[in-house]
Amino acid sequence: MTAAATVQPRSPARRAAQVFFRTPSGVAGLVLVLLVVVAALFAPHLAPYDPVQYRPIDRMQGPSAQHWLGTDLYGRDLFSRVVYGSRISLAVSILSVSLALLVGGTLGALAGFYLKWVDTLIMRVTDVLLAFPAILLAIALLAFLGGGFWNLTIAIAVAYVAPFARVARAAVLRTRDTMFVEASTALGASDLRLLLRHVLPNATGPILVEVTLRLAYAILGEAALSFLGLGTQPPAPAWGQMIADGRPFLETNPWISIAPGLAIMITVLGFNLLGDALRDALDPRLGR
């Protein structure tokens, strides 16, 4: 037996991990996302000041050794507010995307697995949702529900149900007619077992990539809605609301808006780079 014959083929998970960690942009995206996650988890230990406490004596100060990113109109430390703001942005994005994945992924999986009238009904509903831009649909829902953390989460989740349904349907369609699924069907496996044990585990790649990209969109959506006053209400340190608070002072004190704007940019960039690298790593057609 030759040495070449004894070489074991790489498992899909190992191949994907090797491709991912050979991608500089993917590693950079992972580092950026981890930095934001660490900031959110350890905000009480990283923030030097209370993010909502007014300090009129310190108002409108520029970046310094005492206040790294300066202070706002009410003397609140901007670095502390940006750090605590990561909690709100990540919480809204993770909860909304998880809810959208649960509802949209389930509907898409059922549509792709059963086809016929089930597929027609679900896809027509998603067509109606996709006819509205996500941000406008979220604004309409918030106009009906009112602002606040949980209503904001629900509005963003509803806006992203349709894209998840489409992605899940396409992923299931590529898997449902494979030989191992047909073999399990011939052995008498139930539909639920086929979906949970055979179809969905082999359709997770595109769904996982969609999750990372939708997290970036959700953070942008949360910031935009907070900027309009429809998100988490003051004095909570929401990034979008912080940008809105600094808008009247862009010419004289631009750091009030620049600090949360940079936080949004870094977070969204991290998730986008991570999603692009995952897409390449989970695509077996690349053959790397």
Side-chain angles (χ1 to χ4, degrees):
M1 182 179 296
T2 63
T6 62
V7 175
Q8 298 295 324
R10 292 182 297 173
S11 66
R14 184 179 179 185
R15 184 204 68 84
Q18 290 176 342
V19 172
F20 177 85
F21 286 106
R22 285 203 303 264
T23 307
S25 60
V27 176
L30 179 61
V31 170
L32 292 177
V33 170
L34 288 178
L35 286 176
V36 177
V37 171
V38 168
L41 291 176
F42 299 99
H45 304 285
L46 296 175
Y49 299 94
D50 186 332
V52 298
Q53 183 179 356
Y54 291 177
R55 295 182 180 84
I57 194 173
D58 294 331
R59 63 188 301 271
M60 307 297 280
Q61 292 186 12
S64 63
Q66 186 178 6
H67 300 285
W68 295 350
L69 298 178
T71 60
D72 65 6
L73 178 63
Y74 304 102
R76 297 173 295 193
D77 181 68
L78 286 175
F79 177 77
S80 300
R81 288 180 63 78
V82 167
V83 170
Y84 271 91
S86 64
R87 286 188 158 189
I88 295 176
S89 291
L90 286 182
V92 169
S93 61
I94 291 174
L95 289 174
S96 61
V97 169
S98 298
L99 182 58
L101 173 62
L102 178 63
V103 177
T106 301
L107 293 175
L110 293 176
F113 187 78
Y114 287 108
L115 297 178
K116 298 182 180 178
W117 68 268
V118 177
D119 180 42
T120 301
L121 176 62
I122 293 175
M123 287 301 101
R124 296 299 76 77
V125 173
T126 61
D127 287 342
V128 173
L129 292 176
L130 289 172
F132 300 92
I135 189 67
L136 293 182
L137 180 58
I139 290 174
L141 289 172
L142 287 172
F144 175 75
L145 297 174
F149 178 87
W150 290 108
N151 289 342
L152 176 63
T153 300
I154 293 172
I156 294 177
V158 172
Y160 293 149
V161 163
F164 273 115
R166 287 286 185 176
V167 172
R169 176 182 179 272
V172 169
L173 281 175
R174 287 195 295 267
T175 309
R176 68 184 297 273
D177 294 326
T178 53
M179 293 184 63
F180 63 87
V181 174
E182 293 179 355
S184 298
T185 303
L187 292 174
S190 64
D191 290 348
L192 182 61
R193 181 179 178 84
L194 286 173
L195 271 172
L196 297 181
R197 293 291 300 274
H198 301 291
V199 176
L200 289 179
N202 290 280
T204 54
I207 297 175
L208 180 60
V209 173
E210 184 70 11
V211 166
T212 58
L213 296 177
R214 288 295 158 185
L215 284 170
Y217 295 150
I219 289 172
L220 284 175
E222 185 274 334
L225 294 169
S226 295
F227 180 86
L228 296 174
L230 299 174
T232 306
Q233 299 303 303
W239 288 342
Q241 181 62 47
M242 293 171 63
I243 294 176
D245 290 342
R247 185 175 54 173
F249 311 103
L250 284 176
E251 293 185 0
T252 56
N253 306 97
W255 60 82
I256 300 176
S257 293
I258 290 176
L262 286 175
I264 295 171
M265 184 194 73
I266 290 171
T267 306
V268 172
L269 177 63
F271 277 114
N272 279 329
L273 292 177
L274 181 61
D276 289 343
L278 283 176
R279 179 194 60 202
D280 295 340
L282 295 173
D283 189 350
R285 293 172 297 181
L286 295 177
R288 290 187 284 183

